[in-house]
Structure formats: C-alpha cells, structure tokens
Amino acid sequence: ARLFDFSPLKAPMEQSERVYMLARILQGALAVRNDAAAGEALDRLYKCQNLKRPLGQGLVGETVKGSLNVLDALWPQLSPRDKEAIGVMLDALLEQYAKANTIGFPVAIAHEAEAVQAELLAFGARVAHKADDVTFVEHDALQFRAVICLGKAIGGATGATLALIKEHRARWVIMSGIAGSLGTSVASEGGVQFRGPDKGDVVIAAASAPFQIRRKLREVIENAKVPFNGSTWLMIPSDPNLFRLAHEVAEDMVKDNKEDLGTFYEGLIVTGTGVMDSMDDKKKLLAEFPGGLAVEEEGYMMGIVCLGHGVPYLNIRGISDRA
C-alpha cells in the first residue's frame, strides 16, 4: 500500500528524482500485477518526457538512471514480437539519424576517393554501397554517413558538390586531394632554396580564390554570381569551425610525430585551369594573389556551391609537385 501511494510525489522535487521514484513504483506494480498502479505510474512518467525530442533521442526526465530503471521495469513485460517491433523502429531511427549527419567528400580522381575511404574505414566505418562515381560509407557507432563523389576540374567539381548537397543531403563538405605548390626558389648563401609548401606537405585552406576561371564558372553554374552574391571580393573564406578542427588535428599529428604529415601550412589555395607548369604562369598567379600557397583545379567551385546553399566547407591539399 505504501509503494502505491502517489501522495509523496506532490512535494516539490527535481524531475530526475520524480522519474526515479515512479520507475520503482512501476517495477513493483508490474511485479505484483497491480494494473491500476502501473497505469498511473506510466501516465506520470509520460508527462516527465520531453516530447519535442524524437523517439530514442531523449531521456525520461532528462535522467539516465531513471530512464534505465523505467526500461528495466518494462522490458521483461514485452513479448518477443514487441521487442522485434521496437528494434525495427530504432533501426529506422538510426538510419535517418545517420542520413541527417552526412559528410560529403568531393574528390577529383579515383585514387583520392580510395584514400578518403581508407581513412574512414581505419576507425571503424564500413562501405555500405559503391557505384561508379559514388561511395557510401557508414559508421554504426558514431551514427554518421560519408558520401565520396568523383568530379574533376570545373564542371566535375561543381556537379559532384551539387550532388552531395541536393541528392545526398550533405551537411558538411570537405574536399581533399593533391595540389601544386606556389612556393618559390630564392637565392641564399647556401645556394638556391625553395620556400613554401614542398612535396609531401599539407595545406589547409583558410580561403580560396579563382585564377582566370570566372568566365568558365559562369558557363558551368547557370547565373553564377562570381564573385559571390554580387560582391566585389574574389576570395571566399573556409568555414571557421571546420578550419579550427583541421588545425587541431594537424597540431596533434605533429605532436604525435606522424611521419606521413610533413609540414602543414594554412592560408590561401588558388583554383586555376590546367597545371601551372611554367614560371610565367606561376608569376602571373602570384602577382594577382600574393601569398598563395597552392594551386589546384576544383576547390573554388566547391566553395561557391557550398556558400550558395549555406553548407560549411573546407579544402585540404597534399602537395604533389612544385607547380
């Protein structure tokens, strides 16, 4: 009789304490088959829930201990069919949750796609599906999905980024691949030295800029406003949060003496057309964008598309040559 007396719950108390008490009442009521008390306890527990949270994403009364006690009381009462139905609902919920946490990786060539895939698999993800130009990777424990999409140069990068955002609902877009260094050779007492990112180094883009591609970009993206939104500035910034995360990871890799990192740089990556394989081309590019660190063929298009759709983006490049 004392167990099924709800009057103590009239006193002021924390929601977590209320849930814990109700869970114990529910457990006792179910054990002795007191349906009236069990129903009352369930009704009160239901009112303790934050109903704005989707199924499975909230806690009863925002308390782990109380929620586990409620589950402990209810679970033995469920039939195998009930448990199977709950499992189906939770699987569907987790699938939707993963889709809502999709990271898009536009890359230029298959080798770069394989490298991204290998890094994701290295910490527990799995390949869910693979087509000609698209690979879907999922991580069950961390509940995210990655979509790797191939697209080279101006047209391909634009199409791949649009597909990631519109078809696959990517909430973040990260481009990685190779680039040419915009470093220069200078005379010194010890001879000629190359200053700037060199082969094997990594450049994290703080911003992107276009070099002689705006006309082509307008042809690829219908009514493209380049510079973005009718503004007069050329360089577009990377997402600050993604840039910060990349910086922290790179610093950690340096501290851990990761041999495959080389030196990491942060700054401007320029997008041009074709390989900058002559000193004249390189000088023209650096005259327009002094301080540019690397040159590639896709990053600016990815950035323009992401800016137009309000999607955070970042460009990370490994230096393959001295341009």
Side-chain angles (χ1 to χ4, degrees):
R2 287 182 61 192
L3 178 62
F4 304 139
D5 179 10
F6 289 89
S7 59
L9 288 163
K10 294 179 181 179
M13 65 179 71
E14 295 290 334
Q15 190 81 308
S16 58
E17 184 182 1
R18 185 181 302 275
V19 169
Y20 184 65
M21 291 175 67
L22 286 168
R24 288 306 187 198
I25 294 173
L26 177 63
Q27 191 173 30
L30 291 172
V32 299
R33 302 185 184 282
N34 186 327
D35 293 340
E40 177 72 12
L42 281 170
D43 285 343
R44 290 172 179 255
L45 281 166
Y46 185 78
K47 293 175 183 176
C48 293
Q49 292 188 99
N50 180 355
L51 299 180
K52 293 181 180 179
R53 292 179 182 267
L55 173 66
Q57 298 301 299
L59 299 170
V60 183
E62 306 294 344
T63 169
V64 173
K65 188 176 182 180
S67 299
L68 288 174
N69 276 277
V70 173
L71 182 63
D72 189 38
L74 288 174
W75 200 252
Q77 311 299 318
L78 301 178
S79 68
R81 186 175 179 180
D82 291 332
K83 292 177 181 178
E84 184 179 352
I86 291 171
V88 170
M89 284 194 294
L90 290 175
D91 286 343
L93 176 71
L94 292 175
E95 183 181 350
Q96 292 303 314
Y97 188 76
K99 287 180 179 179
N101 288 279
T102 297
I103 309 163
F105 291 93
V107 293
I109 56 177
H111 177 70
E112 293 168 349
E114 291 164 4
V116 173
Q117 177 183 309
E119 290 297 325
L120 293 168
L121 298 186
F123 67 93
R126 60 180 174 82
V127 175
H129 179 66
K130 200 164 188 173
D132 290 339
D133 294 330
V134 185
T135 301
F136 298 88
V137 178
E138 295 181 356
H139 200 298
D140 298 323
L142 299 179
Q143 295 181 0
F144 77 85
R145 182 178 69 159
V147 183
I148 307 166
C149 196
L150 281 171
K152 185 170 176 57
I154 292 176
T158 302
T161 307
L162 281 169
L164 287 168
I165 294 172
K166 290 189 172 183
E167 294 178 30
H168 307 301
R169 297 188 295 175
R171 291 184 61 188
W172 308 270
V173 174
I174 301 173
M175 178 174 279
S176 63
I178 59 173
S181 174
L182 290 176
T184 55
S185 297
V186 295
S188 67
E189 292 180 1
V192 177
Q193 288 187 337
F194 187 80
R195 293 184 181 174
D198 208 346
K199 289 182 281 188
D201 292 340
V202 173
V203 180
I204 304 169
S208 301
F211 180 68
Q212 299 179 353
I213 65 168
R214 283 181 285 163
R215 184 184 301 171
K216 289 189 176 183
L217 185 58
R218 287 192 182 97
E219 293 170 359
V220 174
I221 305 176
E222 187 178 354
N223 297 322
K225 295 178 179 177
V226 183
F228 179 67
N229 256 4
S231 180
T232 55
W233 43 273
L234 295 177
M235 292 186 286
I236 54 177
S238 299
D239 177 72
N241 284 324
L242 289 179
F243 181 81
R244 174 184 59 82
L245 289 170
H247 171 87
E248 292 172 358
V249 170
E251 276 198 327
D252 288 342
M253 291 178 74
V254 171
K255 289 175 186 176
D256 294 339
N257 295 316
K258 295 283 188 181
E259 295 179 0
D260 58 346
L261 176 62
T263 302
F264 81 91
Y265 292 77
E266 296 167 337
L268 178 66
I269 293 181
V270 181
T271 299
T273 55
V275 179
M276 298 285 116
D277 58 357
S278 76
M279 285 306 299
D280 286 343
D281 288 336
K282 199 169 181 177
K283 286 177 181 177
K284 289 176 183 176
L285 192 157
L286 287 172
E288 188 167 343
F289 296 106
L293 295 176
V295 57
E296 34 83 315
E297 299 182 63
E298 295 88 16
Y300 190 79
M301 280 69 70
M302 178 265 299
I304 283 288
V305 172
C306 288
L307 273 176
H309 291 84
V311 175
Y313 67 94
L314 186 67
N315 188 12
I316 304 173
R317 294 285 172 161
I319 299 300
S320 60
D321 59 82
R322 292 181 174 181

